[in-house]
């Protein structure tokens, strides 16, 4: 009886256990489906998390299944609690993942039946094993991803090193450590088109440039500089006038906005670098002309110097300055040099002292008119109204200037100077008016501003020769307007062009211009009409053709675009600066100091001809001009 009862009770116990296992499995399966749908914790009330709160459950799963995480980035524990959503393909993948996990059911039953187990249920035991499997899979896949990253990094070392070598012009094996292989391949240096041409732009405080434009109303008491600052400093676009200028590329450009135009073109320079140690030269985007222009007629002279002094202090405090003590720095000031050469002993005199500061003398200063007696400033062309965006725009304009029929022998745009005894404007106007149909005179006055408008190009386009005497200073924008119109310039002083734009004009000035000495006109010995008529027709045609060829040298292309085959005034200026800095760098390398090869007062002679000694132009430069120029 006892054995029978025990046997029956044991059989009943086995059936009960089997039923419980079946029921628990069914409950667990149902819970996993609910978990996949709702995102609740798999372990129910225990709330034992097995995935980092910042990581999607599905992101863990795809490491095993190979599904891209980008497909399910929105599946997060935090985002899905207490949200009921429709069953989608991504949710079905959750279910499939948990059902496919390789959990040993015998191990679950053995743990459940263990004598040491008093509180653990099938659900908690299964959950712990599943948690462990997920951790193992996560650790494995993390290692796999790390190994893949290392492989990709190694595969990118050589291309990255080669690109870096092209950037700095060094051998690859000097830039990247050699791999630990005896048969490592050595790469030859790759030449760089920017080698020796890199330029670093100083990130100076806004008050030295952009703030000036933001307060454009205060820049001038005579002109609305806000309109001039439009279109990256080019001014407003001009309407198309086919009989005067081409359809595109023409703007109402103010001659004193050069520093803004230059800065915007420098931003497009193809050899810029953020590493100053690689730079051949360093550009300082200070709008010096706009700064000083606010106070030129201000009696308080110290206001004109304030920002200039602050800028120099800022530059000297920078680590880039100490490499060559500023001799690799250059700056564009869009006014004539005399506006920056005030005598430091006379605070109330004209202009400020920017070019006279000891630190500034180490820099290369670019102005629209340089001083023949100083060696730290160089002249670059005034901006004209033509700013082409394509090479074809330039070629078409040059062809148009070649084909024009010019019915006037010469012309002059200017005004009388009754209170300027040294000026020859009065004599030139009288001779032009006496020549009747062979010369035309365009009278300029401050009220009409006729000579500052593009319409004066019409006068130059109809003339073979354009008279360019000194004005308030040696140079003026009219010189470049006449060249743009294909008109041969006639100079009366070598300081108007020949000793100025040495990077932009041919050294042989007779190729493109005529020089009539000022004193010959003043004395009445030189008759302009007769002198010009004596020039052979073949010579005139050759000079005009040379002038047309010079057009690209005197224009600044649109900063919003880039010419492909043509070098404009900006390109030639950058070349000149880089050559000058490289010469100084070599001198410092050899002698550890920079020594002048010539007296500073003879700078015009050395830079123009490369030699000193007596010259026929010595009388022209026997004395310095007054505060406004000549």
């Amino acid at each position: 009886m006892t054995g029978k009862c025990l046997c029956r009770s044991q059989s009943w116990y086995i059936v009960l256990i089997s039923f419980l296992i079946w029921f628990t499995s069914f409950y667990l399966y149902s819970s996993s489906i609910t978990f996949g749908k709702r995102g609740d914790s798999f372990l129910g009330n225990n709330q034992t998390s097995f995935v980092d709160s910042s990581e999607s459950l599905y992101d863990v799963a795809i490491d095993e299944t190979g599904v891209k995480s980008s497909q399910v980035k929105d599946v997060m524990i935090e985002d899905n609690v207490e949200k009921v959503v429709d069953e989608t393909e991504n949710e079905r993948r959750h279910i499939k993942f948990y059902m496919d996990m390789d959990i040993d059911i015998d191990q679950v039953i053995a743990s459940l039946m263990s004598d040491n187990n008093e509180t653990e249920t099938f659900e908690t035991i299964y959950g712990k094993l599943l948690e462990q499997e997920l951790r193992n899979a996560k650790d494995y896949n993390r290692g796999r991803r790390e190994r893949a990253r290392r492989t990709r990094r190694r595969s990118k070392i050589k291309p990255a090193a080669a690109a870096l070598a092209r950037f700095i012009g060094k051998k690859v094996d000097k830039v990247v450590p050699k791999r630990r292989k005896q048969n490592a391949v050595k790469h030859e240096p790759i030449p760089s088109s920017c080698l020796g041409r890199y330029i670093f732009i100083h990130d100076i405080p806004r008050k030295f440039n952009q703030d000036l434009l933001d307060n454009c109303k205060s820049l001038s008491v005579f002109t609305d500089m806000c309109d001039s600052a439009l279109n990256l400093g080019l001014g407003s676009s001009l309407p198309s006038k086919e009989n005067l200028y081409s359809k595109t590329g023409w703007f109402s450009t103010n001659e004193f906005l050069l520093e803004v135009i230059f800065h915007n073109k420098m931003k497009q320079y193809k050899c810029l670098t953020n590493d100053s140690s690689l730079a051949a030269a360093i550009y300082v985007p200070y709008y010096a002309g706009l700064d000083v222009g606010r106070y030129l007629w201000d009696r308080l002279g110290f206001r004109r110097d304030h920002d200039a002094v602050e800028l120099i202090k800022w530059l000297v405090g920078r680590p880039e300055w100490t490499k060559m003590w500023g001799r690799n720095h250059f700056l564009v000031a869009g006014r004539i040099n005399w506006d920056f050469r005030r005598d430091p002993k006379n605070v109330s005199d004209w202009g400020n002292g920017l070019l006279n500061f000891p630190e500034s003398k180490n820099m290369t200063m670019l102005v629209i008119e340089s001083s023949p007696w100083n060696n730290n400033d160089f002249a670059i062309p005034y901006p004209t109204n033509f700013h082409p965006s394509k090479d074809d725009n330039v070629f078409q304009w040059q062809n148009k200037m070649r084909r024009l029929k010019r019915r006037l022998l010469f012309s002059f745009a200017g005004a009388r100077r009754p209170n300027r005894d040294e000026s020859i404007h009065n004599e030139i106007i009288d001779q032009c008016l006496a020549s009747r149909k062979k010369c035309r005179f365009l009278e300029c006055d401050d009220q009409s501003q006729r000579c500052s408008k593009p319409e004066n190009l019409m006068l130059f386009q109809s003339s073979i020769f354009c008279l360019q005497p000194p004005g308030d200073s040696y140079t003026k924008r009219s010189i470049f307007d006449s060249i743009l119109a294909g008109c041969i310039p006639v100079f009366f002083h070598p300081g108007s062009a020949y000793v100025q734009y040495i990077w932009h004009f041919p050294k042989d000035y007779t190729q493109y211009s005529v020089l009539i000495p000022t004193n010959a006109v003043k004395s009445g010995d030189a008759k302009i009409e007769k002198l010009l008529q004596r020039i052979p027709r073949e010579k005139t045609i050759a000079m005009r053709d040379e002038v047309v060829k010079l057009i690209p040298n005197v224009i600044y292309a649109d900063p919003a675009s880039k010419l492909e085959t043509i070098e404009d005034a900006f390109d030639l200026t950058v070349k000149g600066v880089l050559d000058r800095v490289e010469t100084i760098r070599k001198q410092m390398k050899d002698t550890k100091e920079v020594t002048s090869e010539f007296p500073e007062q003879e700078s015009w002679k050395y830079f123009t001809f490369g030699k000193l000694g007596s010259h026929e132009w010595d009388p022209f430069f026997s004395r310095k001009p007054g505060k406004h120029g000549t």
Side-chain angles (χ1 to χ4, degrees):
M1 292 291 295
T2 304
K4 223 177 212 186
C5 292
L6 288 173
C7 181
R8 288 178 181 176
S9 62
Q10 185 175 8
S11 299
W12 178 84
Y13 181 78
I14 292 173
V15 171
L16 178 62
I17 291 297
S18 299
F19 175 78
L20 289 175
I21 292 174
W22 174 84
F23 180 80
T24 304
S25 300
F26 179 79
Y27 175 78
L28 181 62
Y29 174 72
S30 300
S31 299
S32 67
I33 294 177
T34 304
F35 174 78
K37 283 178 172 283
R38 298 173 60 90
D40 295 334
S41 172
F42 183 84
L43 300 183
N45 296 331
N46 291 339
Q47 299 295 317
T48 306
S49 175
F50 54 87
V51 181
D52 293 341
S53 62
S54 63
E55 186 174 10
S56 168
L57 285 171
Y58 196 63
D59 286 340
V60 177
I62 53 95
D63 286 341
E64 181 69 22
T65 62
V67 181
K68 293 183 179 179
S69 61
S70 61
Q71 297 173 341
V72 289
K73 286 185 177 179
D74 57 336
V75 183
M76 302 291 290
I77 291 178
E78 305 87 70
D79 297 334
N80 290 293
V81 176
E82 299 299 329
K83 293 182 181 178
V84 180
V85 295
D86 294 335
E87 185 177 3
T88 64
E89 182 180 359
N90 287 343
E91 293 162 349
R92 288 194 294 271
R93 287 174 181 168
H94 279 290
I95 299 169
K96 182 179 184 301
F97 168 74
Y98 293 116
M99 295 303 295
D100 288 348
M101 289 298 294
D102 188 15
I103 304 298
D104 189 352
I105 193 66
D106 294 334
Q107 185 178 358
V108 176
I109 296 174
S111 299
L112 179 66
M113 301 297 296
S114 174
D115 294 337
N116 297 328
N117 179 32
E118 296 179 356
T119 60
E120 295 286 347
T121 65
F122 183 95
E123 181 182 354
T124 58
I125 294 174
Y126 192 97
K128 288 182 178 181
L129 292 175
L130 180 59
E131 178 183 0
Q132 184 62 42
E133 287 294 327
L134 288 172
R135 286 176 179 171
N136 293 340
K138 185 176 181 181
D139 292 340
Y140 170 79
N141 286 301
R142 184 185 293 112
R144 185 176 61 182
R145 289 195 298 269
E146 181 62 27
R147 289 191 295 272
R149 279 196 293 268
R150 290 175 181 174
T151 301
R152 289 194 298 270
R153 191 182 303 117
R154 286 195 295 267
S155 66
K156 292 180 180 179
I157 286 178
K158 288 184 178 180
L164 185 58
R166 286 194 298 272
F167 183 73
I168 62 177
K170 295 183 179 181
K171 290 185 177 180
V172 175
D173 57 354
K174 289 185 178 180
V175 180
V176 180
K178 296 181 179 179
R179 297 179 63 184
R180 295 182 180 181
K181 290 185 179 181
Q182 294 181 354
N183 57 347
V185 179
K186 292 184 178 180
H187 294 269
E188 294 298 327
I190 301 175
S192 172
S193 60
C194 288
L195 187 61
R197 298 172 56 199
Y198 288 112
I199 291 179
F200 175 83
I201 301 180
H202 261 309
D203 185 17
I204 64 177
R206 284 175 52 93
K207 70 175 184 177
F208 297 121
N209 45 43
Q210 188 57 46
D211 284 354
L212 293 171
L213 295 181
D214 293 342
N215 297 285
C216 54
K217 292 291 186 181
S218 65
L219 295 179
S220 175
V221 296
F222 307 110
T223 308
D224 184 359
M225 301 296 283
C226 294
D227 289 341
S228 300
L230 298 174
N231 295 316
L232 304 177
L234 304 183
S236 57
S237 299
L238 292 174
S240 177
K241 292 184 179 181
E242 294 187 5
N243 62 331
L244 182 58
Y245 30 77
S246 51
K247 296 180 180 180
T248 59
W250 291 84
F251 299 83
S252 180
T253 304
N254 187 294
E255 64 184 74
F256 297 129
L257 265 291
L258 175 58
E259 50 211 16
V260 180
I261 298 172
F262 198 96
H263 184 197
N264 286 313
K265 287 188 67 64
M266 182 58 70
K267 293 177 182 178
Q268 305 299 324
Y269 180 63
K270 67 177 182 179
C271 294
L272 292 180
T273 177
N274 291 326
D275 186 352
S276 62
S277 65
L278 302 177
I282 296 177
Y283 170 56
V284 183
Y286 169 43
Y287 298 165
L290 297 183
D291 178 22
V292 72
R294 298 177 294 175
Y295 309 117
L296 283 177
W297 289 268
D298 193 333
R299 293 182 179 181
L300 301 177
F302 72 89
R303 296 179 63 178
R304 287 172 261 162
D305 280 317
H306 181 269
D307 281 358
V309 172
E310 290 296 313
L311 174 79
I312 295 300
K313 290 181 179 178
W314 187 90
L315 290 174
V316 173
R318 299 290 300 176
E320 295 84 3
W321 181 268
T322 58
K323 185 175 181 179
M324 293 181 64
W325 301 109
R327 293 183 177 91
N328 57 347
H329 286 51
F330 69 100
L331 181 152
V332 178
R335 301 186 71 97
I336 64 174
N337 80 94
W338 309 113
D339 293 339
F340 308 100
R341 289 198 179 278
R342 192 193 71 241
D343 185 351
K345 298 179 181 179
N346 189 349
V347 179
S348 61
D349 200 2
W350 179 264
N352 67 17
L354 175 62
L355 297 185
N356 289 330
F357 298 156
E359 296 84 359
S360 300
K361 292 183 178 181
N362 285 353
M363 301 170 61
T364 299
M365 313 296 283
L366 306 176
V367 289
I368 55 179
E369 176 181 320
S370 64
S371 165
W373 302 280
N374 298 94
N375 60 9
N376 65 317
D377 57 303
F378 295 82
I380 61 177
Y382 286 67
T384 65
N385 298 104
F386 187 37
H387 306 282
S389 58
K390 298 179 180 179
D391 292 27
D392 286 343
N393 299 151
V394 181
F395 298 146
Q396 292 171 6
W397 179 257
Q398 287 178 301
N399 291 333
K400 180 179 180 180
M401 294 303 101
R402 289 191 182 99
R403 293 192 303 264
L404 282 179
K405 294 182 179 180
R406 303 172 187 268
R407 59 187 184 82
L408 296 174
L409 177 62
F410 64 106
S411 60
F412 174 60
R416 294 183 179 275
R417 303 294 177 91
N419 300 322
R420 299 284 297 276
D421 293 336
E422 71 279 7
S423 172
I424 60 172
H425 279 215
N426 296 340
E427 289 78 8
I428 287 178
I429 293 173
D430 291 340
Q431 290 199 34
C432 181
L433 294 175
S435 295
R436 298 181 181 180
K437 296 182 179 181
K438 293 184 179 181
C439 180
R440 177 176 293 177
F441 167 54
L442 175 64
E443 185 174 7
C444 302
D445 57 81
D446 295 335
Q447 293 182 352
S448 65
Q449 295 289 315
R450 282 186 294 179
C451 289
S452 61
K453 297 179 180 179
E455 280 71 16
N456 65 2
L457 284 175
M458 181 65 75
L459 174 65
F460 297 152
Q461 290 177 20
S462 62
S463 306
I464 299 175
F465 297 95
C466 293
L467 308 185
Q468 302 294 345
D472 290 335
S473 63
Y474 287 140
T475 68
K476 53 186 177 180
R477 172 172 162 168
S478 178
I479 295 172
F480 302 95
D481 288 338
S482 65
I483 292 176
L484 184 60
C487 185
I488 302 171
V490 179
F491 298 115
F492 299 86
H493 194 293
S496 294
Y498 307 147
V499 303
Q500 296 285 342
Y501 310 100
I502 58 176
W503 299 332
H504 303 81
F505 289 164
K507 290 185 177 181
D508 184 1
Y509 66 90
T510 62
Q511 293 181 4
Y512 69 95
S513 67
V514 176
L515 176 63
I516 300 176
T518 303
N519 56 355
V521 176
K522 197 74 175 176
S523 63
D525 296 336
K527 302 299 179 181
I528 298 174
E529 179 183 343
K530 291 183 179 180
L531 290 174
L532 297 179
Q533 284 182 327
R534 290 177 187 174
I535 300 175
R537 184 174 181 275
E538 295 76 11
K539 175 65 175 176
T540 301
I541 294 174
M543 282 194 294
R544 188 169 64 200
D545 187 62
E546 190 66 28
V547 169
V548 173
K549 290 180 181 178
L550 286 177
I551 290 177
N553 294 17
V554 301
I555 60 176
Y556 295 91
D558 191 336
S561 60
K562 184 174 179 59
L563 303 182
E564 296 179 359
T565 62
I566 294 176
E567 290 184 323
D568 66 352
F570 169 82
D571 296 321
L572 297 178
T573 299
V574 171
K575 277 188 173 181
V577 170
L578 293 176
D579 289 344
R580 170 173 162 77
V581 173
E582 181 60 24
T583 300
I584 295 174
R585 182 179 285 108
K586 289 180 179 178
Q587 189 177 28
M588 293 180 67
K589 181 179 180 181
D590 296 337
T591 63
K592 305 301 181 183
E593 61 181 12
V594 178
T595 57
S596 178
E597 303 177 26
F598 54 91
E600 190 174 21
Q601 62 271 20
E602 294 193 353
S603 299
W604 67 271
K605 196 177 299 185
Y606 181 82
F607 289 135
T608 306
F609 306 107
K611 59 182 180 180
L612 305 178
S614 60
H615 194 275
E616 59 178 323
W617 291 349
D618 285 341
F620 287 101
F621 301 102
S622 60
R623 65 185 182 91
K624 294 185 179 182
K627 67 177 182 179
H628 294 289
T630 56

